[in-house]
Amino acid sequence: MPKQISILGSTGSIGVNALKVADHLTGELNVVYLSAHSNSARLIEQAEKFNPKAIAIVDPGAYQKVKNTLGAKKIEILKGREGLLNLALRDDVDIMLNGLVGAGGMEPTLNAIDAGVDVALSNKESLVMAGDIIYRAMERTGAKLFPVDSEHSAIWQCMAGENVNDIRSLILTGSGGPFRNRPLNTFQDISVEEALNHPNWDMGKKITIDSATMMNKGLEVIEAFWLFGFNHDKVKIVIHPQSIIHSMIELKDGAVKAQLGVPDMKVPIQYALTYPRHLPAPWEQLDFFTCGDLTFQEPDLDRFPCISLAFEALKNLGTTPAALNLSNDYAVQRFLDKEIKFTDIPRINEMIMNSHNWIEHPTLEDLKDLDGWVYKTVFNFH
Ligand code: MG
């Protein structure tokens, strides 16, 4: 019996890769639900190929196009944000892959957990925003989280068979993005086009900007805390420009375990969907004779202040990680719209983090209020 899967954000970078995995594992995985934000053409193509039970599309204009093309088929078509949230609540699937972008991915994660459905989580913002709420819901329903983020997948694989108490620290690797060696005094001139040009990974726009500011690595430190329970003083970041080592664990006896491979998101996606198995796959394997030298360096915190902000947020917990994450979502949006400078992103994030109204154990309602305040404050920044 194949595993029944739901894919949120199916037309984005993670979703498209997940469908490539589903396509080569047809006997193992059956696609039941798909959701997209506004890419109607790609969603229609995917629905025709995978024949899901239902699909959701958030953008109203795009919904109309999907309805006009697929209306005669036996596929239920859901509309808007409510349609997406409804799809995430359905419990007739074994696992939901959350490939949504930004803080908007949080509620769908919670809906699936509430419905008792396991979540393969690419949307790290869910955990950064609401780790506390998500873990309490998991205790209630027994649903589990499987990391899709390549670093966390690597740590998960390294931890297999180890006693958690024997692990000294987690080592998250990061490529350092496109500005690892750019002179710091030219950072204020970084253009959107330059920031979107990532050396190793081909990803969506938001995470590509987060890689350029290294906010992504910072958010991953907070994500690692929730997934594996290691606090800020037990997580290290190592710059590894080749992105061959996806992350490591350091054991108390001095042993270090690493997980390696070509930088291809299909690998962690497939592992999350087929855990605990490593099934055969048709893509390129790591070739040690052509991959070149593997190098390492310390992260430069002056160059990438977002890393320090994330460690500080993890120390404060409460609403601080959520405030940082929301601020970053909106600041990145404004940078992509060419309204603010690259260097304004960390400045705004720091200002929001330090001036928001801190709550120790926020409810979902508190997080929504915070979202409203952060949105207003970031968009008023000049
Ligand atoms: Mg990652």
Side-chain angles (χ1 to χ4, degrees):
M1 178 72 175
K3 225 183 230 183
Q4 308 299 311
I5 65 168
S6 163
I7 300 177
L8 304 190
S10 70
T11 58
S13 168
I14 292 292
V16 166
N17 277 313
L19 285 171
K20 285 182 188 161
V21 171
D23 196 23
H24 94 86
L25 290 179
T26 37
E28 298 281 343
L29 303 173
N30 183 37
V31 178
V32 184
Y33 300 123
L34 296 173
S35 94
H37 184 263
S38 52
N39 191 339
S40 53
R42 193 173 279 171
L43 182 64
I44 289 166
E45 204 179 288
Q46 293 175 340
E48 283 174 336
K49 178 164 181 178
F50 290 92
N51 201 27
K53 247 194 241 177
I55 58 177
I57 185 143
V58 174
D59 180 83
Y63 166 82
Q64 214 42 56
K65 283 187 201 148
V66 172
K67 187 90 186 155
N68 293 345
T69 314
L70 297 176
K73 287 196 184 269
K74 270 182 61 188
I75 300 174
E76 187 190 356
I77 307 170
L78 300 159
K79 182 176 152 185
R81 174 92 184 152
E82 301 108 70
L84 168 68
L85 291 173
N86 173 308
L87 212 61
L89 265 177
R90 300 197 179 185
D91 62 2
D92 55 344
V93 287
D94 299 302
I95 189 161
M96 180 189 93
L97 174 77
N98 185 344
L100 299 171
V101 176
M106 175 188 72
E107 272 188 281
T109 297
L110 260 171
N111 279 6
I113 299 285
D114 279 337
V117 170
D118 294 341
V119 177
L121 190 69
S122 167
N123 179 261
K124 68 193 76 179
E125 293 89 342
S126 294
L127 277 181
V128 174
M129 292 279 298
D132 192 25
I133 300 175
I134 290 171
Y135 271 83
R136 270 185 276 139
M138 284 165 67
E139 272 171 31
R140 202 170 60 238
T141 67
K144 292 185 281 296
L145 274 187
F146 301 130
V148 168
D149 210 349
S150 61
E151 293 77 2
H152 304 76
S153 177
I155 286 169
W156 186 30
Q157 293 174 55
C158 290
M159 283 175 75
E162 302 297 349
N163 183 331
V164 166
N165 296 320
D166 292 342
I167 302 170
R168 191 200 305 272
S169 62
L170 309 181
I171 302 174
L172 293 173
T173 53
S175 69
F179 307 130
R180 187 168 49 87
N181 295 317
R182 178 173 172 135
L184 188 53
N185 60 11
T186 68
F187 266 42
Q188 58 188 9
D189 306 321
I190 288 172
S191 69
V192 171
E193 293 70 24
E194 288 172 315
L196 284 176
N197 189 17
H198 194 277
N200 306 350
W201 295 94
D202 181 15
M203 308 175 288
K205 281 186 185 175
K206 197 265 176 178
I207 188 169
T208 304
I209 302 301
D210 286 349
S211 298
T213 59
M214 290 204 72
M215 185 73 257
N216 183 53
K217 212 47 57 187
L219 297 177
E220 287 178 352
V221 171
I222 301 172
E223 184 187 9
F225 166 74
W226 288 111
L227 285 170
F228 308 116
F230 285 75
N231 220 323
H232 59 92
D233 53 345
K234 298 235 163 50
V235 183
K236 299 175 191 167
I237 295 173
V238 170
I239 303 296
H240 165 50
Q242 298 80 18
S243 300
I244 298 294
I245 295 178
H246 299 315
S247 278
M248 304 180 258
I249 64 170
E250 194 173 37
L251 293 128
K252 288 185 178 162
D253 59 3
V256 175
K257 287 171 82 177
Q259 190 264 355
L260 291 75
V262 289
D264 180 346
M265 284 310 295
K266 292 195 288 301
V267 180
I269 291 170
Q270 173 164 315
Y271 188 63
L273 295 176
T274 62
Y275 171 82
R277 292 178 303 162
H278 286 272
L279 295 175
W283 44 79
E284 187 195 349
Q285 300 274 311
L286 179 60
D287 181 346
F288 282 98
F289 304 118
T290 59
C291 75
D293 293 342
L294 304 186
T295 61
F296 306 94
Q297 65 190 71
E298 208 177 334
D300 179 345
L301 299 180
D302 292 330
R303 192 174 283 272
F304 302 114
C306 287
I307 294 178
S308 306
L309 293 180
F311 275 99
E312 203 186 313
L314 189 50
K315 278 181 214 163
N316 295 341
L317 279 179
T319 39
T320 313
L324 173 63
N325 182 73
L326 286 163
S327 169
N328 185 63
D329 268 15
Y330 298 131
V332 168
Q333 203 175 312
R334 291 200 66 193
F335 172 69
L336 285 169
D337 291 339
K338 305 192 176 177
E339 294 171 1
I340 60 169
K341 287 185 196 153
F342 185 80
T343 42
D344 287 333
I345 299 174
R347 282 178 57 205
I348 292 175
N349 290 349
E350 184 173 12
M351 181 263 291
I352 292 285
M353 227 176 86
N354 294 337
S355 61
H356 86 283
N357 183 16
W358 188 80
I359 300 172
E360 187 170 8
H361 292 290
T363 61
L364 265 190
E365 225 25 68
D366 293 331
L367 292 176
K368 280 181 192 168
D369 291 346
L370 177 66
D371 189 354
W373 178 82
V374 174
Y375 179 87
K376 212 173 57 201
T377 314
V378 173
F379 277 86
N380 280 330
F381 174 90
H382 293 294

